[in-house]
Amino acid sequence: GQQLNQSPQSMFIQEGEDVSMNCTSSSIFNTWLWYKQDPGEGPVLLIALYKAGELTSNGRLTAQFGITRKDSFLNISASIPSDVGIYFCAGPGNQFYFGTGTSLTVIP
Amino acid sequence: KAGVTQTPRYLIKTRGQQVTLSCSPISGHRSVSWYQQTPGQGLQFLFEYFSETQRNKGNFPGRFSGRQFSNSRSEMNVSTLELGDSALYLCASSLAGGLAVYEQYFGPGTRLTVT
């Protein structure tokens, strides 16, 4: 099946720094979604992207739908402690696929 | 608006037993999907139900089954439990049509431990 690879696998950053992570696929996706999961909870939808090249923001979060439709990027500006968690990309194909996740730790 | 609810939150079962997990979607959401999350395999799609019909199925053995009721509530069942079935089982709901069908809202999950 389709595989979504996320990088980096984990990040340790200082509070206030900006964060960038990406998600790549061997197949084309027509929709990209980004989720955040806190420990012991289900993933929470952050941003949905529906068009190649699209750039969408949600507060301090900005996500881009790659022009090749095989990748997507998530940026977090001015990180704060509550940004800690695991970030997943996801996309629908013949089923719904989730990426391998990027674990973010914010050091106060 | 209430979110997706899942019951029970935690469950301990013995190998060979069966288990039923329940999910109540967000009001108005008619699509319900189930996922298994483990440290080794990540988030894996189990199946999706819409209007009481299974619309998509992931690559899991037949021991994993589900159903959806007329009020959109869903249950999943795992028979003949194996140690490897220990996982967080997540339910997600979404609206039925248009692009919104891809915007899934997750419940808190059921943590299943098989001993």
Side-chain angles (χ1 to χ4, degrees), chain B residues 57-104:
Chain B
K57 189 177 190 306
N59 299 322
F60 279 82
R63 299 186 298 107
F64 292 81
S65 62
R67 60 177 176 168
Q68 187 180 32
F69 302 95
S70 58
N71 62 357
S72 295
R73 192 177 69 83
S74 177
E75 289 181 346
M76 69 162 281
N77 183 277
V78 188
S79 62
T80 320
L81 283 166
E82 300 177 0
L83 295 177
D85 297 333
S86 294
L88 181 67
Y89 289 88
L90 291 159
C91 166
S93 72
S94 65
L95 290 168
L99 294 175
V101 70
Y102 300 126
E103 297 177 14
Q104 300 192 14

Side-chain angles (χ1 to χ4, degrees), chain B residues 1 27-31 50 55 93-98 100-103:
Chain B
K1 193 184 250 188
S27 177
H29 285 193
R30 294 169 60 194
S31 172
F50 172 72
R55 192 152 69 170
S93 72
S94 65
L95 290 168
V101 70
Y102 300 126
E103 297 177 14

Side-chain angles (χ1 to χ4, degrees), chain A residues 15-32:
Chain A
E15 182 178 356
E17 288 184 351
D18 296 344
V19 173
S20 291
M21 60 187 78
N22 73 317
C23 179
T24 59
S25 169
S26 56
S27 305
I28 287 173
F29 278 85
N30 292 316
T31 299
W32 285 96

